[in-house]
Structure formats: structure tokens, C-alpha cells
Amino acid sequence: MKLCVLCNTNRAQLKRPKTGQQICKTCFYAVFEYEIHCTITENKLFKRGDKVAIAASGGKDSTVLAHTMKLLNDRYDYGLDLCLLSIDEGIKGYRDDSLETVKRNQLQYNLPLLVLSYEELYGWSMDKIVAQIGTKNNCTFCGVFRRQALDRGAARLGVDHIVTGHNADDVAETVLMNRKLLVLFQKFTLTHFPLVFRGDFARLTRCTSITTQTLETSATTAPEHLTIPRSKPFKYTYEKEIVLYAYFLSLDYFSTECTYSVEAYRGYARVFLKDLEKVRASAIMDVIHSGEAYAQSLDEIERVEAENGGKKKKKTVVQKQGTCERCGYISSNKLCKACVLLESLNKGLPAVSLE
Amino acid sequence: MPLCAKCVRDGNSDRASVIATRGSEYCADCFKVDMFGRFTKAYTTKESLLPRGEPVCVAWSGGLSSSLLVHYMNSFLNKNFKQNVSPRFSAVYVCVVDYSCLLSEEKQQIVNQEIEAMQSIAEGYNFNFKRIPLESAFTNENGDLDSTLVADLTSPEILQLKFESYSTSKTSTATPISRTLDLFASFKSTPAANPTTAVTLLNTLTTRLLRRAASTYNCTTLMTGSNASTIAAQIVTQTALGGGFNLPNEISLEYKVPNTDIVTFRPIRDLLFGEVEKLVELDEIAQFPGVAGMAEGLFGGVVGSVGTEGASVAKMTIQDLAASFVKGLQKDFPQSVSTVTRTAFKVQTGANAPGLDVCLLCSNPIQPNSQNWRASHTTSRLDDIPDIIKNEDGTVVEAPKKASEVPATGAADLLLCYACQHVGRDVKVKEKLVLPGGDWFLGAKKDCFVGNGCCDSGVSD
């Protein structure tokens, strides 16, 4: 019998993906939970008394997030007021089933839940959108609508912070895509084509940051619901470990892929990252480490500019912050992105591109 | 058949195109002129660090790119001569790092023959030819065994290094070759091997030996034949190895190596692999597949393209995966490699800031505060988890962490950059680990091992 290398007492039951150590379940729970606690405290994600919304889809990441946030809040006495926030995109056979999981999680963890639907917010469900535009670019619509819906939901709940279940694999994939490497394999999808040619270091910074505030919200002091930071407590947590944790604890989660994500753009990035992980388990952390160094690029450029007395000012146009004249959401243009997309849907011009 | 766009535009002729690249069709002559122009343009950048009229060291791996580079150097200096201008470089040293000691006898013969052919080409150009055996990493300038670094076996968990001086080496039965073999054997265990780390280490030793050669022959420039495709692969590799901080130095046109007078120069970094291939074909440049492929399959990895039937991805190296990825990228989107490299050239991570500590192995700058980054995000011991204490008022605090067992001195992690920390971590047979310990290799880091330097980890002199 092989003993756990951490406690040397129990039988080793798994090989930990992040370190390759053969450990028992009890030790796995301990290190898994403690690492997330460290991520939260070292990055000072919250302050005592914060009201925090957990973005809950019913999938493995958000279910484990809800479980660990509740557990750590109790164990370490963070003093957080937790609640669940779900967005119903209106996808029959997928979201309706996963929302049932979220509702069960609500009872299991005894947390308040708010469900906001696209239908309610925009008058369109994803099923209707796909019926009109097909499956080619539907992720564009879904992504823009969800981002805004989360902000609106958070505002309705009056929270100080949103946490999402983005894990280390997600962050590493985004780093690689922002390096303009893997996105080229996405057959130039409408959503991500612009990323390839932008040299968008600001976006790189945002994707590697553990806490982000959207570009639209960061420069405004106006609407109270638009300055809500989002954090990724799982930034350094491997997806495989999240799955193992959920499996060992028999957490109640929904594991079906989105009906419309057959051509999801992350596919190629994920395959490459998984290949890297097979070669070297720490590759995911290593990619994130590189990503954080690239993100410093922006700081470095700004520092050099400051040292040069602003002589080498960037030629970027400073966007004027305002609000969407139609829905009131913060936007640097007359209409926010969601309203532009809605207009195209309502006019029957679904092929309109973002930026 | 498509015609050369430039010739048609100039109304000179209607010559047939031999290559379609960069959105245009080129005939052989126009293509060669354009590509050579790109090579010479690399010398005319503003604020160039390249000295004029001094010796240059050209790294020749036997591959297409570096073979083209040697060919271009000859053309370039001939052009200087014909134009009656002072030569850009006073002498050219062509250096080939020879991995023969790691090869089978059969392969050694092929490599020997090819290196002799390379020598006659270089000498035909009036260049100095230098063959640098890999095992010379363990010898001093006289060819005798030099000092080494070995694992301190008193530290069972953490890889701690200690210095073994030249005088100790003299009594040893070891040879430079046996030490080289031991070094790579220290990464092998049965049945697993760690090919990625071994390849990284081989590349590191090669770079360090080339810099040493440049220094020995008073060369202030070290030229390498990296092309856009190899640089794109390098970008993926560096990112995946965690070496993002040093990426700008690895791919820039010019890079001043810290603590030396050497500038690494990559004059054909804008040429795509397809273009290099075509130039080699048009100019009938000799190819040396045996030398170029010396490292292939050396470390037990199954070398093959991703997706190839029977090839096990798990046994490939990250370098293989990255090269395979870039190859596919180029095939599907020919212009994408240029986009990737152009974007990466903009990245500034602060790696060229003065005063940064350098890595013991690769001698590249170490990212500040990066040495404990991995440990700070990974809990690999229960002792690292503090107990929770509940106060009388109901508040909760964490007990102070138990004293760490990580030694503060001599630990490899403290001496290595983030990417090279894998080398320290992946050693499987510590008894066999032996690293070069000569002054040329350690530089100021020697203070970490002898005297009252930063790491003072004991001397077995």
C-alpha cells in the first residue's frame, strides 16, 4: 500500500495534478482549500462585511466555488455576506437543467439566489437568437449579454464584489490566446478575430489580473451598479483538481456542455494546453507566470513614458465615458455593445461585428 | 504561371515567380535581393549596440537558417570589399557546438564527416572555424578538468549545490565526457525520463559555450540564425516554460548579455522558414542534416508531429510541441507567424533593466521576486498549513507558520531563474548531477559557493 506523501498515514488515493504528489483525500482537501484561502487573503480580494455574489452556472467550477467560498468564509471568518447570482441565457436542455442544479445548491449552502434571464433583460433568449442567426457567431451575443447581465444582477443584489469560477486552465488559455498564437486556429471567428491584430496589452493585463473591473466601469464614478470588481479565487487552481474535489465530495453539479458551444473558440487552446500539461504538469502555472510577466509590459511602457516626461505618449484616443442612451449602461459610445447587438437582432442584421 | 510582381511593376521583364510570400510573387533574383536587403538592413538600426570592425562569432548549427547566415556573412563581407569600405567585422569565427559525446558511434561518424565539410566551407570563405565539443563545458582553457558544482546530498529534499574545486577534480577519475553523460543521466529514471528538461539544459549549455567561445576569441558580437519561425516557436516555448520575463531578450534583434561585452545579434529573425528554405535551394547552399539533427530523439522522447499516429504527446518535449504547433500554424495561415513575432517584439517585461541578478545556469536576468512564486501558489507540505485559533471573542486567526525546512543558502531555487528552476526540480539521480563550475560559467555567482558570498553553502576544497 502506497502511503500519502503528506501525512504518511493514510493510503494515497490520487496523484495530485498540480504537484504530482501521491496523496490521500483528506490531505487533498486540506491543500486544495488552503491554496484558495491563500489566493484570497494574499491578494486581499475582500474586506470584512463585503457582500459577494458568486456567479453560479451549476457547472463544476461555480459549484466548487460556492462550496469553498461558504466553507472558507465559515472556517476563516472572512465576515462575507455571500449570495448566488445566475444568468438564464434561455437554452433549453442545457441552462434550464443546470439552473435546477443551482437551485439545489442554494438549498444545500443556504445562500440567497437571484436568477436573471436574457429574456427578461433583453427580450431575447439564446434559443431565439440562434434561431435567427444560426450557431456561427452566437457566442458573441451570449458573451456580451452575460457580462452586462452579471453587472445588472450584481447591482440588483447590491453586492460589493462578484466572484467567478475561472480556473488556472482558463487563465493560461487566455494568456496563450492573447499572445496571438492560438487564436489564429479559431478559424477567425467573428468574436476573436480582432484580438489577433490588436497587440492588446491592456486586455492581457486584464486577463491575468486576479481582480478586474471592466474598461467601461473603471473610469466612471456615476452609476452605482457599474463599479463592481470581479475576482477569480481559482486563478491558481487546476481544473483537474476542481473536478477531483467535486467528485470526491460528491458535490451536486451539472456537467453537460453548452448546446451551442460545439465550435467554442477555446477548443484549440485547450487541446494545446492539455498537451503541455501531459508533458509537464506545472505548464499551466508556468504559462500564468509568463502571462503575469507580459502583463507588466503595460506598466513598463507607462513607466518609461512617465520617465520621459510624457514625450512618448501613446497615440491611443482616450475614450469618453458616458452611458448608453438607450439602456443607461455605461458606454463610451452612444449605444452600449449589448444595445448594438440587440439593434442588429431587432433589425434582422445579425451579422454585425463588434469593433 | 504567376509572374514576379516587382518585375511586372518595373516593366523590366516577365519573369516567372518562384515564391509567393508576404502577399507578393517574386522571381529568383528579386527574391534574393529582397531577402539579402532585409539581412543588411538589420545592421542599420538606430542606437545599434553592434561594434564596428571587431571580430564576430557566428553560431552554426548545420540547420538551414544558420547555413544561410554563414553564406550571407560571406556575401556581406565580399560586398564590403567590393565597395571598398572597411569591413563590418575584422574577423569571423564560425562555431559549431558538437554533441558527439552523446551520440552513437554510427551517428558520430556522420557528424564528423559533416563537420569536416562545414569546416572546409567556412575556411573557403576565409572564416575561422571552431568545433566546440559539448564536454568542454567541464574543462578549463587548457582542456583540463575544471571545477564543478554537485548536489549536496546532505539535503534530501531540496536540491542544494556545493562547489568542488579543480584541485579535487584532479584526483578524480572522471573525464569531461563522463561528466557530461552523468549530467544528462541525472535527469533519467526508470522508466520515466524528463526530455523537456534535458533539452532545455542542452540548449542552455550550448548558448553558454557559444558565449564562452565569443569571449575567448575577443568577439563582441555573437550571431545566431534564428528565423521568424524558430522565434515563433521560441515564444510558445518560453511562455510554456515560464520564461516569459526573459522573452524580449530571447527574440530581440540585439541583446547585450549581462556582465559581458557580448551582444547577441539575430539578423535574419524576420525571414520565414519557407523563405529560408527557398533561399537555400536557390543559392544551392550545402545542408548538414546530421549535425542539425544531433539533438533529435536524444533524451528518450518520442519525436513526432502532434497527432501523428503512435506518437505519444506525453513523451514529447515542450520544445517539440511548440515547433509542431508553429509548423501547423504556418501551413494553415502563412502570414500568422509574422503577426505573432511582430506582436511579441513589442513586449517589454523589464528584463533588460540594469542591476538584475542573473541565473546560475542560463545567465539571463532573474525576474525580481519570482524565485518563490511557484511555492507561494502551491502547498506541498502539511506543515505549510497553519492551525486555526478561535479567540474568545469568536474571531479566528491563523497560528504562525511552522519554521520552513527550505534552506536559505545554496538552494538551487534561489540561484536559478523561474524557467531554470525546472532543472533543479527534475533531477532524478542527485548523485550523478554535475554542473560546470569553472569561473567562465559561474562568474560572480562563485561567491555564492566560496568565501563569504551570498549563499556560502560550504566548500569541499
Side-chain angles (χ1 to χ4, degrees), chain B residues 333-353:
Chain B
F333 307 104
Q335 294 306 312
S336 58
V337 166
S338 302
T339 310
V340 169
T341 52
R342 272 201 310 273
T343 306
F345 292 153
K346 294 179 200 163
V347 173
Q348 301 168 39
T349 58
N352 49 9

PDB file of all heavy atoms in Angstrom, chain B residues 333-353:
ATOM      1  N   PHE B 333      -1.985  29.227 -41.929  1.00  0.00           N
ATOM      2  CA  PHE B 333      -2.061  30.692 -42.036  1.00  0.00           C
ATOM      3  C   PHE B 333      -0.651  31.240 -42.255  1.00  0.00           C
ATOM      4  O   PHE B 333       0.017  31.658 -41.302  1.00  0.00           O
ATOM      5  CB  PHE B 333      -2.658  31.295 -40.758  1.00  0.00           C
ATOM      6  CG  PHE B 333      -3.978  30.700 -40.365  1.00  0.00           C
ATOM      7  CD1 PHE B 333      -4.064  29.796 -39.320  1.00  0.00           C
ATOM      8  CD2 PHE B 333      -5.132  31.028 -41.049  1.00  0.00           C
ATOM      9  CE1 PHE B 333      -5.266  29.241 -38.950  1.00  0.00           C
ATOM     10  CE2 PHE B 333      -6.343  30.476 -40.688  1.00  0.00           C
ATOM     11  CZ  PHE B 333      -6.416  29.575 -39.641  1.00  0.00           C
ATOM     12  N   PRO B 334      -0.180  31.246 -43.485  1.00  0.00           N
ATOM     13  CA  PRO B 334       1.227  31.581 -43.757  1.00  0.00           C
ATOM     14  C   PRO B 334       1.675  32.916 -43.169  1.00  0.00           C
ATOM     15  O   PRO B 334       2.819  33.066 -42.794  1.00  0.00           O
ATOM     16  CB  PRO B 334       1.290  31.601 -45.277  1.00  0.00           C
ATOM     17  CG  PRO B 334       0.178  30.741 -45.728  1.00  0.00           C
ATOM     18  CD  PRO B 334      -0.902  30.901 -44.707  1.00  0.00           C
ATOM     19  N   GLN B 335       0.807  33.888 -43.081  1.00  0.00           N
ATOM     20  CA  GLN B 335       1.230  35.204 -42.590  1.00  0.00           C
ATOM     21  C   GLN B 335       1.206  35.325 -41.062  1.00  0.00           C
ATOM     22  O   GLN B 335       1.658  36.313 -40.499  1.00  0.00           O
ATOM     23  CB  GLN B 335       0.329  36.303 -43.180  1.00  0.00           C
ATOM     24  CG  GLN B 335       0.458  36.452 -44.683  1.00  0.00           C
ATOM     25  CD  GLN B 335       1.902  36.667 -45.132  1.00  0.00           C
ATOM     26  OE1 GLN B 335       2.609  37.500 -44.578  1.00  0.00           O
ATOM     27  NE2 GLN B 335       2.346  35.911 -46.112  1.00  0.00           N
ATOM     28  N   SER B 336       0.626  34.298 -40.426  1.00  0.00           N
ATOM     29  CA  SER B 336       0.397  34.442 -38.996  1.00  0.00           C
ATOM     30  C   SER B 336       1.680  34.484 -38.177  1.00  0.00           C
ATOM     31  O   SER B 336       1.751  35.155 -37.157  1.00  0.00           O
ATOM     32  CB  SER B 336      -0.485  33.298 -38.499  1.00  0.00           C
ATOM     33  OG  SER B 336       0.151  32.081 -38.800  1.00  0.00           O
ATOM     34  N   VAL B 337       2.723  33.798 -38.645  1.00  0.00           N
ATOM     35  CA  VAL B 337       3.973  33.780 -37.881  1.00  0.00           C
ATOM     36  C   VAL B 337       4.538  35.193 -37.761  1.00  0.00           C
ATOM     37  O   VAL B 337       4.995  35.608 -36.699  1.00  0.00           O
ATOM     38  CB  VAL B 337       4.993  32.813 -38.522  1.00  0.00           C
ATOM     39  CG1 VAL B 337       6.387  33.033 -37.970  1.00  0.00           C
ATOM     40  CG2 VAL B 337       4.567  31.377 -38.258  1.00  0.00           C
ATOM     41  N   SER B 338       4.474  35.944 -38.850  1.00  0.00           N
ATOM     42  CA  SER B 338       4.950  37.328 -38.802  1.00  0.00           C
ATOM     43  C   SER B 338       4.144  38.135 -37.793  1.00  0.00           C
ATOM     44  O   SER B 338       4.702  38.941 -37.043  1.00  0.00           O
ATOM     45  CB  SER B 338       4.800  37.999 -40.170  1.00  0.00           C
ATOM     46  OG  SER B 338       5.500  37.289 -41.120  1.00  0.00           O
ATOM     47  N   THR B 339       2.836  37.894 -37.776  1.00  0.00           N
ATOM     48  CA  THR B 339       1.974  38.631 -36.838  1.00  0.00           C
ATOM     49  C   THR B 339       2.365  38.307 -35.400  1.00  0.00           C
ATOM     50  O   THR B 339       2.493  39.197 -34.555  1.00  0.00           O
ATOM     51  CB  THR B 339       0.492  38.233 -37.050  1.00  0.00           C
ATOM     52  OG1 THR B 339       0.206  38.341 -38.435  1.00  0.00           O
ATOM     53  CG2 THR B 339      -0.433  39.110 -36.252  1.00  0.00           C
ATOM     54  N   VAL B 340       2.578  37.021 -35.159  1.00  0.00           N
ATOM     55  CA  VAL B 340       2.933  36.591 -33.807  1.00  0.00           C
ATOM     56  C   VAL B 340       4.256  37.220 -33.373  1.00  0.00           C
ATOM     57  O   VAL B 340       4.373  37.779 -32.280  1.00  0.00           O
ATOM     58  CB  VAL B 340       3.053  35.044 -33.759  1.00  0.00           C
ATOM     59  CG1 VAL B 340       3.682  34.591 -32.459  1.00  0.00           C
ATOM     60  CG2 VAL B 340       1.695  34.402 -33.932  1.00  0.00           C
ATOM     61  N   THR B 341       5.243  37.159 -34.249  1.00  0.00           N
ATOM     62  CA  THR B 341       6.559  37.686 -33.859  1.00  0.00           C
ATOM     63  C   THR B 341       6.513  39.204 -33.716  1.00  0.00           C
ATOM     64  O   THR B 341       7.067  39.740 -32.769  1.00  0.00           O
ATOM     65  CB  THR B 341       7.652  37.281 -34.874  1.00  0.00           C
ATOM     66  OG1 THR B 341       7.223  37.647 -36.177  1.00  0.00           O
ATOM     67  CG2 THR B 341       7.934  35.803 -34.833  1.00  0.00           C
ATOM     68  N   ARG B 342       5.834  39.864 -34.638  1.00  0.00           N
ATOM     69  CA  ARG B 342       5.761  41.333 -34.554  1.00  0.00           C
ATOM     70  C   ARG B 342       5.147  41.763 -33.228  1.00  0.00           C
ATOM     71  O   ARG B 342       5.571  42.720 -32.600  1.00  0.00           O
ATOM     72  CB  ARG B 342       4.957  41.912 -35.720  1.00  0.00           C
ATOM     73  CG  ARG B 342       5.785  42.194 -36.963  1.00  0.00           C
ATOM     74  CD  ARG B 342       5.091  43.209 -37.854  1.00  0.00           C
ATOM     75  NE  ARG B 342       3.704  42.884 -38.122  1.00  0.00           N
ATOM     76  CZ  ARG B 342       3.291  42.109 -39.111  1.00  0.00           C
ATOM     77  NH1 ARG B 342       4.162  41.571 -39.921  1.00  0.00           N
ATOM     78  NH2 ARG B 342       2.004  41.867 -39.292  1.00  0.00           N
ATOM     79  N   THR B 343       4.112  41.028 -32.821  1.00  0.00           N
ATOM     80  CA  THR B 343       3.450  41.370 -31.557  1.00  0.00           C
ATOM     81  C   THR B 343       4.404  41.120 -30.386  1.00  0.00           C
ATOM     82  O   THR B 343       4.526  41.950 -29.490  1.00  0.00           O
ATOM     83  CB  THR B 343       2.185  40.518 -31.373  1.00  0.00           C
ATOM     84  OG1 THR B 343       1.387  40.683 -32.531  1.00  0.00           O
ATOM     85  CG2 THR B 343       1.404  40.944 -30.153  1.00  0.00           C
ATOM     86  N   ALA B 344       5.095  39.972 -30.441  1.00  0.00           N
ATOM     87  CA  ALA B 344       5.996  39.627 -29.330  1.00  0.00           C
ATOM     88  C   ALA B 344       7.162  40.608 -29.242  1.00  0.00           C
ATOM     89  O   ALA B 344       7.673  40.864 -28.148  1.00  0.00           O
ATOM     90  CB  ALA B 344       6.510  38.204 -29.509  1.00  0.00           C
ATOM     91  N   PHE B 345       7.578  41.156 -30.386  1.00  0.00           N
ATOM     92  CA  PHE B 345       8.698  42.104 -30.355  1.00  0.00           C
ATOM     93  C   PHE B 345       8.338  43.361 -29.544  1.00  0.00           C
ATOM     94  O   PHE B 345       9.228  44.081 -29.109  1.00  0.00           O
ATOM     95  CB  PHE B 345       9.114  42.512 -31.781  1.00  0.00           C
ATOM     96  CG  PHE B 345       9.742  41.392 -32.577  1.00  0.00           C
ATOM     97  CD1 PHE B 345       9.675  41.367 -33.964  1.00  0.00           C
ATOM     98  CD2 PHE B 345      10.399  40.352 -31.935  1.00  0.00           C
ATOM     99  CE1 PHE B 345      10.242  40.335 -34.691  1.00  0.00           C
ATOM    100  CE2 PHE B 345      10.971  39.308 -32.660  1.00  0.00           C
ATOM    101  CZ  PHE B 345      10.887  39.298 -34.033  1.00  0.00           C
ATOM    102  N   LYS B 346       7.043  43.608 -29.376  1.00  0.00           N
ATOM    103  CA  LYS B 346       6.626  44.803 -28.625  1.00  0.00           C
ATOM    104  C   LYS B 346       6.686  44.589 -27.118  1.00  0.00           C
ATOM    105  O   LYS B 346       6.610  45.538 -26.355  1.00  0.00           O
ATOM    106  CB  LYS B 346       5.182  45.173 -28.981  1.00  0.00           C
ATOM    107  CG  LYS B 346       4.956  45.612 -30.399  1.00  0.00           C
ATOM    108  CD  LYS B 346       3.467  45.904 -30.562  1.00  0.00           C
ATOM    109  CE  LYS B 346       3.047  45.888 -32.017  1.00  0.00           C
ATOM    110  NZ  LYS B 346       1.598  45.759 -32.160  1.00  0.00           N
ATOM    111  N   VAL B 347       6.764  43.333 -26.708  1.00  0.00           N
ATOM    112  CA  VAL B 347       6.692  43.044 -25.270  1.00  0.00           C
ATOM    113  C   VAL B 347       7.928  43.559 -24.547  1.00  0.00           C
ATOM    114  O   VAL B 347       9.056  43.333 -24.977  1.00  0.00           O
ATOM    115  CB  VAL B 347       6.546  41.514 -25.038  1.00  0.00           C
ATOM    116  CG1 VAL B 347       6.650  41.176 -23.563  1.00  0.00           C
ATOM    117  CG2 VAL B 347       5.230  41.030 -25.602  1.00  0.00           C
ATOM    118  N   GLN B 348       7.696  44.301 -23.487  1.00  0.00           N
ATOM    119  CA  GLN B 348       8.801  44.765 -22.630  1.00  0.00           C
ATOM    120  C   GLN B 348       8.470  44.330 -21.205  1.00  0.00           C
ATOM    121  O   GLN B 348       7.465  44.751 -20.657  1.00  0.00           O
ATOM    122  CB  GLN B 348       8.900  46.285 -22.647  1.00  0.00           C
ATOM    123  CG  GLN B 348       9.128  46.904 -24.009  1.00  0.00           C
ATOM    124  CD  GLN B 348       8.916  48.404 -23.970  1.00  0.00           C
ATOM    125  OE1 GLN B 348       9.287  49.077 -23.026  1.00  0.00           O
ATOM    126  NE2 GLN B 348       8.283  48.920 -25.009  1.00  0.00           N
ATOM    127  N   THR B 349       9.300  43.484 -20.663  1.00  0.00           N
ATOM    128  CA  THR B 349       8.994  42.990 -19.311  1.00  0.00           C
ATOM    129  C   THR B 349       9.908  43.592 -18.253  1.00  0.00           C
ATOM    130  O   THR B 349       9.785  43.267 -17.081  1.00  0.00           O
ATOM    131  CB  THR B 349       9.177  41.457 -19.276  1.00  0.00           C
ATOM    132  OG1 THR B 349      10.523  41.175 -19.659  1.00  0.00           O
ATOM    133  CG2 THR B 349       8.223  40.755 -20.207  1.00  0.00           C
ATOM    134  N   GLY B 350      10.836  44.413 -18.694  1.00  0.00           N
ATOM    135  CA  GLY B 350      11.795  44.978 -17.741  1.00  0.00           C
ATOM    136  C   GLY B 350      13.004  44.081 -17.570  1.00  0.00           C
ATOM    137  O   GLY B 350      13.828  44.296 -16.681  1.00  0.00           O
ATOM    138  N   ALA B 351      13.136  43.067 -18.443  1.00  0.00           N
ATOM    139  CA  ALA B 351      14.237  42.108 -18.294  1.00  0.00           C
ATOM    140  C   ALA B 351      15.595  42.712 -18.659  1.00  0.00           C
ATOM    141  O   ALA B 351      16.617  42.100 -18.396  1.00  0.00           O
ATOM    142  CB  ALA B 351      13.974  40.881 -19.162  1.00  0.00           C
ATOM    143  N   ASN B 352      15.576  43.875 -19.310  1.00  0.00           N
ATOM    144  CA  ASN B 352      16.871  44.484 -19.643  1.00  0.00           C
ATOM    145  C   ASN B 352      17.221  45.630 -18.695  1.00  0.00           C
ATOM    146  O   ASN B 352      18.124  46.413 -18.965  1.00  0.00           O
ATOM    147  CB  ASN B 352      16.902  44.954 -21.107  1.00  0.00           C
ATOM    148  CG  ASN B 352      15.682  45.774 -21.449  1.00  0.00           C
ATOM    149  OD1 ASN B 352      14.907  46.117 -20.549  1.00  0.00           O
ATOM    150  ND2 ASN B 352      15.495  46.084 -22.715  1.00  0.00           N
ATOM    151  N   ALA B 353      16.503  45.683 -17.585  1.00  0.00           N
ATOM    152  CA  ALA B 353      16.816  46.720 -16.588  1.00  0.00           C
ATOM    153  C   ALA B 353      18.190  46.425 -15.977  1.00  0.00           C
ATOM    154  O   ALA B 353      18.521  45.260 -15.758  1.00  0.00           O
ATOM    155  CB  ALA B 353      15.740  46.734 -15.510  1.00  0.00           C
TER     156      ALA B 353
END
